[in-house]
Amino acid sequence: MSKPVVAIVGRPNVGKSTLFNKLIGTRLSIVDDTPGVTRDRIYGDCEWLNHNFLLVDTGGIEPYSTNVILSQMRAQAEIAIETADVIVLVTDLNCGVVASDYEVASMLQKSGKPIILCVNKCDRVGAPDPEFYEFYNLGLGDPIAVSSVHGHGTGDLLDEVIQYFPESDIEEDDEEIINVAIIGKPNVGKSSLVNRISGENRAIVSDIAGTTRDTTDTFVENSYGKFNFIDTAGIRRKSKINDAIEKFSIIRARMAVERANVCVIMIDATEGFTEQDSKVAGIALEQGKACIVAVNKWDAVEKDGNTMNAFRKKLAIDFSFMSYAPVMFISAKTGQRIDRLFEMIAFVHSQNSMRISTGKLNEVLAMATSRVQPPTDKGKRLKIYYMTQASTRPPTFVFFVNNAELFHFSYQRYLENQIREVFGLDGTPVRFIIRERGEGKK
């Protein structure tokens, strides 16, 4: 049985994201005094009294706004309401009950879902302020006084939430789920790919670069396996990052890469490779993630019989630092090769998780060193006694040698190529640790 879903909704700037972060125990949602900071739905795992559930933070609901982004935020909140088992309506004690609160409350009552009224910013300890009692006018039952900043009242709120859960909310085993971070510069089609994969308008799609500010999770299960796609905000050059909120988004994107097993690096086929694409790929490389280069908008490129091969050869030069990453040509708009993308994600994940026995590794090592002798310097020759695999994700190998300084980078690259030739390791970086016999790590 899947986890219950609890949606946090309300008008803008009442403290929904602050409450969300307090309940899940980490700063996942961006918090800022600017109304409308949270745009897409944000999911986080939450646990209370042995009940595990998904908490959803939503953008503020503006019932009658005609602004394009605000209207799409409202649509995202409505989707969250439809999929939720319990809804928490957050209001602001300092502002009192305003017209928008009545409109949002009316919208929620039409959903037929259990609604819990949370009055936020009750920061004083003791009896509630007189203004607290006017929230009874919303007709949603007894309000719960909460301070999302200090945490007061959050226990009472969660006690009320879990009353509406089914008796057996068993947490699913997620060991088989592959976490996939979709990364790239702004406006390459990351959110469009998420929507195509999920079959719904899960993320806001707009021609305005930078529409996605937070990371969003989309769970998909098909014949290729179980996947959790993490849509991230586009990563811009530092010189173009002026907005404080966007700086938070880049940190969030880096955290998404850290959480992922596989990174899909998206490139705009109509623009080709840019310096920023290499910076984005470098984040995944630093963290040792399995990677796929997905060239999106391939449907918009004028092609002849040699277009794909020419593009692939150029990318081989541009991504020479990541030559192990397979390249795919896709279209999030038409769905071209999306099924093949699932298959490739599962494959590179298995390569990133591969473990090789010490015996097989040393057979390859003996063959490689007999073919090309280890380097020498001033009469001293490098001796590699043996090697073993220390860990996976990424595959990490330890070499025991007589002199680490003699183990030149060029010879390390040669041995890496020999290992890849025998064992594959497609789509994943490999790491080498060099130890001198009887010495610590070098």
Side-chain angles (χ1 to χ4, degrees):
M1 175 174 184
S2 60
K3 296 179 184 178
V5 178
V6 179
I8 299 176
V9 301
R11 59 185 176 82
N13 218 30
V14 293
K16 298 184 297 299
S17 295
T18 305
L19 177 62
F20 175 85
N21 290 337
K22 177 64 70 173
L23 294 181
I24 67 171
T26 184
R27 282 178 60 88
L28 183 60
S29 267
I30 299 171
V31 178
D32 192 88
D33 291 335
T34 308
V37 168
T38 303
R39 292 177 172 179
D40 294 325
R41 286 167 287 155
I42 311 301
Y43 284 69
D45 290 312
C46 193
E47 189 270 335
W48 183 252
L49 300 179
N50 297 321
H51 291 269
N52 295 282
F53 57 97
L54 282 176
L55 198 63
V56 188
D57 186 20
T58 64
I61 302 174
E62 289 277 13
Y64 300 114
S65 173
T66 57
N67 179 279
V68 174
I69 293 293
L70 287 177
S71 63
Q72 291 200 44
M73 286 164 53
R74 181 173 65 247
Q76 292 296 309
E78 289 171 351
I79 293 173
I81 292 167
E82 289 175 9
T83 57
D85 298 293
V86 182
I87 300 168
V88 176
L89 172 60
V90 181
T91 55
D92 185 342
L93 176 71
N94 296 333
C95 297
V97 180
V98 299
S100 295
D101 289 326
Y102 285 107
E103 299 295 339
V104 174
S106 175
M107 178 191 303
L108 297 181
Q109 286 173 318
K110 293 175 183 177
S111 71
K113 303 288 181 69
I115 304 166
I116 298 169
L117 177 58
C118 167
V119 181
N120 193 25
K121 304 183 183 179
C122 297
D123 299 330
R124 293 195 335 184
V125 179
D129 293 341
E131 294 83 357
F132 173 79
Y133 297 99
E134 73 173 291
F135 288 90
Y136 279 94
N137 294 329
L138 293 175
L140 298 176
D142 295 332
I144 298 176
V146 169
S147 170
S148 57
V149 173
H150 303 295
H152 305 324
T154 54
D156 294 336
L157 178 66
L158 292 173
D159 285 342
E160 188 69 20
V161 165
I162 64 175
Q163 289 184 20
Y164 296 100
F165 290 169
E167 292 187 7
S168 56
D169 51 292
I170 302 172
E171 184 177 359
E172 291 184 346
D173 180 18
D174 60 356
E175 290 183 359
E176 298 179 356
I177 296 176
I178 301 174
N179 290 308
V180 184
I182 302 174
I183 60 176
K185 62 184 182 182
N187 216 29
V188 294
K190 298 183 297 295
S191 296
S192 296
L193 179 60
V194 169
N195 290 340
R196 167 64 64 174
I197 287 169
S198 65
E200 60 171 311
N201 290 326
R202 177 60 190 282
I204 297 173
V205 178
S206 169
D207 291 335
I208 304 169
T211 301
T212 302
R213 285 177 170 173
D214 295 294
T215 57
T216 61
D217 286 14
T218 300
F219 297 93
V220 176
E221 183 175 358
N222 56 29
S223 59
Y224 300 103
K226 298 178 181 178
F227 305 89
N228 174 33
F229 286 90
I230 310 166
D231 182 18
T232 62
I235 304 173
R236 298 172 185 262
R237 292 197 300 272
K238 286 186 178 180
S239 60
K240 292 190 175 182
I241 304 169
N242 299 316
D243 185 13
I245 297 170
E246 191 163 342
K247 291 180 181 179
F248 281 122
S249 298
I250 294 169
I251 295 171
R252 205 73 73 249
R254 288 179 175 272
M255 290 173 61
V257 172
E258 185 176 339
R259 186 158 64 97
N261 305 118
V262 178
C263 292
V264 176
I265 304 164
M266 293 192 69
I267 294 176
D268 190 332
T270 61
E271 294 184 11
F273 178 85
T274 65
E275 181 185 354
Q276 189 60 13
D277 291 319
S278 66
K279 300 280 182 63
V280 172
I283 296 173
L285 176 63
E286 288 171 6
Q287 299 192 28
K289 304 300 180 179
C291 291
I292 299 168
V293 177
V295 182
N296 191 31
K297 306 182 184 179
W298 192 241
D299 59 303
V301 175
E302 292 187 10
K303 295 177 279 290
D304 57 34
N306 193 46
T307 305
M308 184 178 290
N309 286 336
F311 207 111
R312 195 184 296 275
K313 287 179 181 178
K314 185 177 185 307
L315 284 180
I317 298 172
D318 295 330
F319 276 98
S320 57
F321 64 95
M322 196 181 272
S323 57
Y324 55 81
V327 177
M328 295 191 63
F329 297 85
I330 66 170
S331 170
K333 182 178 180 180
T334 66
Q336 184 181 19
R337 297 190 184 89
I338 299 301
D339 284 346
R340 173 66 177 149
L341 180 62
F342 280 110
E343 184 179 353
M344 184 60 71
I345 289 169
F347 173 69
V348 298
H349 174 62
S350 69
Q351 298 287 289
N352 189 241
S353 307
M354 181 185 294
R355 183 169 287 279
I356 307 168
S357 70
T358 300
K360 291 182 179 179
L361 283 173
N362 285 283
E363 286 178 12
V364 173
L365 177 63
M367 179 182 65
T369 53
S370 64
R371 185 180 300 168
V372 177
Q373 290 292 313
T376 61
D377 184 27
K378 297 179 181 178
K380 293 182 180 180
R381 181 176 295 278
L382 170 69
K383 293 181 181 179
I384 305 175
Y385 299 113
Y386 70 97
M387 65 179 294
T388 187
Q389 185 171 358
S391 62
T392 61
R393 300 184 185 179
T396 302
F397 303 99
V398 181
F399 290 84
F400 292 87
V401 302
N402 64 331
N403 189 329
E405 292 182 359
L406 294 176
F407 203 166
H408 299 157
F409 171 78
S410 58
Y411 200 71
Q412 291 183 34
R413 176 59 60 88
Y414 163 70
L415 291 180
E416 178 184 334
N417 291 336
Q418 295 300 304
I419 292 169
R420 288 187 183 277
E421 184 177 320
V422 175
F423 300 108
L425 298 175
D426 298 318
T428 178
V430 299
R431 301 266 173 87
F432 285 175
I433 297 173
I434 315 302
R435 291 183 185 275
E436 290 184 7
R437 177 170 274 182
E439 300 290 338
K441 182 171 68 176
K442 293 290 183 180

